[in-house]
Amino acid sequence: MHLDWTALGQVAAASTGVTVAVVVVFALGVLGLAQLEGARDRQGRTFALGLTQAVLCFLACAAVVAYGIFLIVPQFH
Amino acid sequence: MDHITFLVAVVIVTALAFDFTNGFHDTANAMATSIATGALAPRTAVLISGVLNVVGAFLSTEVAKTISGGIVDDTLVSPGMIFAGLVGAILWNLLTWLVGLPSSSSHALFGGLIGAVWVGAGSHGVNFEKVVEKVLVPAVASPVVAGVAALLATYLAYRLTDRARKESVTKGFRIGQIASASLVSLAHGTNDAQKTMGVITLTLISAGALGHDAGPPLWVIASAGIAIGLGTYLGGWRIIRTMGKGLTEIQSPQGFAAETASTAVILTSAHLGFALSTTQVASGSILGAGLGRRLAEVRWGVAGRMAVAWLITLPAAALVGGLAASVVQSGGDLGTAVVALVGAALAAGIVVVSRRNPVHAHNVNDAHEVTIRTEPPAKVGTAA
């Protein structure tokens, strides 16, 4: 019997890595949002920083989702 | 169409019935945590999931080819055996639904087929090496991997957002959950609808209506997609309750971490050709997400019962499948009709029993247990 341990290891490593990365980046985006909502001044530094952080993080997550859809749909490959 | 005999027609209808049970059995995989955290209203959740399942079915026919060529020997399989296997799978799916246990529909299907082929064609018709390689190893490995990934991700998510305003965090992750849950549904559609397509295609091949290496025809893809989509929309509320509420109390960061882990595992392994069970992956993720939040309570009794259900799913479905196969084999068309009627009667019985203590969109989040017995009546005299 042939068990492909390499493939199994790849699945384990890749999926753990992707999960942790996506959740951490998304959490940072949520932090940015929380900063936005907490900022008293709409022109202030906190607001601008929070906005940038949230936008960048959510864009990164959207890119991963797009790649996921790309993987699901064979017509794209 | 002279290849489509009475038996083949019965098999196709049974396969679609299995697909339907597959759909409502597995709604929970994608949507249980979103429903539990309030990210999506129950009815909206099952609608999104159902539509994405249909879409997924049309997108990919990759797995459909591997199911029909590998685990059982295609050349020995008769439509009668496929029918018997499906009956075993459907009955096991309904029974586990009744007690609210998220067992694997894929294992039920494999089990039913293995049992039926074993009885019908002898043990050489079953490719045991393939069973271990394609079914058992992923079954053990995938929930563990998903669980570890969700655990790590949940822990980090809570550490990072520790000091932020709780409402902003909850709201943010709820919105994220809608995306992650939708991706699980789409991946589920591409995986599970294909199993039924594979089975119907296998039947058509064994009846001589299709060539040996043929892919599923369009009408097969369409009907399988619609059957699983309808089943998903109906919603397996009993299982949704167990997965969303029963294992642990899920908050939105955990739900997001769990769904992300499920999607990642399903997509990476589908990419490498493992046919894994979405149910087991999703349960592993939820368990991991429960452990990742400090002080979160995991109900190990529920987790233990689920693990037992996983262990016995394949052999139990195989037993029913084998039994049905022996009746079909000795009784011919009459035997098939008898098995179909007995199967339908048992299925109806299970549905009637479930009515005694129904779980639906309105009460799914109210409790964490699924019981079969009627609750004691609140007022004397109102009990039926």
Side-chain angles (χ1 to χ4, degrees):
Chain A
M1 183 172 54
H2 170 70
L3 271 185
D4 195 347
W5 291 106
T6 326
L8 211 63
Q10 276 174 348
V11 171
S15 41
T16 311
V18 169
T19 308
V20 171
V22 167
V23 173
V24 164
V25 172
F26 194 87
L28 291 175
V30 169
L31 271 185
L33 268 191
Q35 240 168 48
L36 264 187
E37 286 168 3
R40 261 161 281 158
D41 181 4
R42 293 203 137 245
Q43 254 71 51
R45 257 179 77 87
T46 339
F47 187 86
L49 268 179
L51 186 67
T52 322
Q53 189 178 333
V55 168
L56 285 180
C57 290
F58 291 139
L59 274 180
C61 288
V64 177
V65 170
Y67 183 64
I69 293 174
F70 169 80
L71 283 182
I72 296 175
V73 184
Q75 284 85 341
F76 288 160
H77 315 168
Chain B
M1 294 297 266
D2 51 343
H3 290 295
I4 310 286
T5 56
F6 164 74
L7 185 58
V8 173
V10 171
V11 174
I12 292 170
V13 172
T14 319
L16 292 175
F18 166 76
D19 208 17
F20 183 78
T21 66
N22 192 162
F24 80 76
H25 216 274
D26 289 6
T27 323
N29 299 339
M31 290 302 172
T33 59
S34 300
I35 292 171
T37 61
L40 285 166
R43 281 274 166 221
T44 322
V46 293
L47 180 64
I48 293 177
S49 189
V51 169
L52 288 174
N53 265 318
V54 178
V55 172
F58 278 94
L59 287 178
S60 161
T61 50
E62 205 63 37
V63 183
K65 291 169 196 154
T66 64
I67 298 299
S68 36
I71 286 167
V72 291
D73 189 348
D74 277 16
T75 50
L76 296 176
V77 173
S78 70
M81 295 175 207
I82 298 176
F83 167 71
L86 285 167
V87 170
I90 293 175
L91 288 179
W92 183 251
N93 257 356
L94 285 174
L95 200 66
T96 46
W97 163 74
L98 176 66
V99 292
L101 276 177
S103 66
S104 161
S105 304
S106 345
H107 281 203
L109 178 60
F110 292 145
L113 277 178
I114 289 169
V117 171
W118 196 332
V119 169
S123 58
H124 62 281
V126 182
N127 194 344
F128 289 99
E129 275 189 16
K130 273 273 191 300
V131 173
V132 173
E133 183 190 325
K134 294 256 173 195
V135 184
L136 293 187
V137 171
V140 176
S142 62
V144 175
V145 172
V148 170
L151 191 153
L152 283 173
T154 305
Y155 177 75
L156 288 171
Y158 275 95
R159 275 297 286 271
L160 282 170
T161 58
D162 215 10
R163 302 230 185 98
R165 281 203 320 150
K166 194 120 193 307
E167 304 90 88
S168 313
V169 172
T170 304
K171 203 177 69 185
F173 277 109
R174 271 190 192 160
I175 294 169
Q177 270 199 285
I178 298 175
S180 56
S182 302
L183 221 50
V184 179
S185 290
L186 191 65
H188 182 253
T190 59
N191 261 303
D192 279 25
Q194 289 174 40
K195 286 174 195 143
T196 309
M197 290 178 212
V199 167
I200 297 178
T201 310
L202 182 60
T203 313
L204 293 172
I205 290 173
S206 68
L210 282 177
H212 252 282
D213 285 320
L218 183 65
W219 66 267
V220 173
I221 300 176
S223 51
I226 290 168
I228 201 168
L230 277 177
T232 310
Y233 179 65
L234 185 76
W237 301 107
R238 305 176 89 83
I239 298 169
I240 292 176
R241 177 183 281 179
T242 303
M243 282 181 88
K245 288 273 162 191
L247 271 176
T248 179
E249 291 299 325
I250 289 274
Q251 295 180 347
S252 67
Q254 293 171 290
F256 182 73
E259 285 161 1
T260 309
S262 303
T263 319
V265 172
I266 293 167
L267 287 188
T268 46
S269 45
H271 201 57
L272 291 166
F274 288 115
L276 47 72
S277 152
T278 338
T279 309
Q280 298 180 339
V281 172
S283 325
S285 300
I286 293 175
L287 211 60
L291 291 170
R293 174 158 67 98
R294 270 170 297 170
L295 302 177
E297 176 197 6
V298 170
R299 293 192 190 86
W300 289 109
V302 178
R305 269 197 293 153
M306 268 169 46
V308 171
W310 292 356
L311 284 179
I312 57 176
T313 290
L314 204 145
L319 206 68
V320 183
L323 201 69
S326 62
V327 177
V328 170
Q329 226 182 8
S330 52
D333 271 2
L334 183 69
T336 309
V338 168
V339 170
L341 285 177
V342 171
L346 284 172
I350 292 174
V351 172
V352 167
V353 172
S354 80
R355 287 280 166 80
R356 280 202 267 163
N357 199 350
V359 179
H360 44 72
H362 302 294
N363 70 1
V364 62
N365 281 340
D366 294 353
H368 62 82
E369 272 182 321
V370 175
T371 46
I372 299 168
R373 249 168 291 140
T374 332
E375 303 283 313
K379 284 179 213 147
V380 183
T382 54

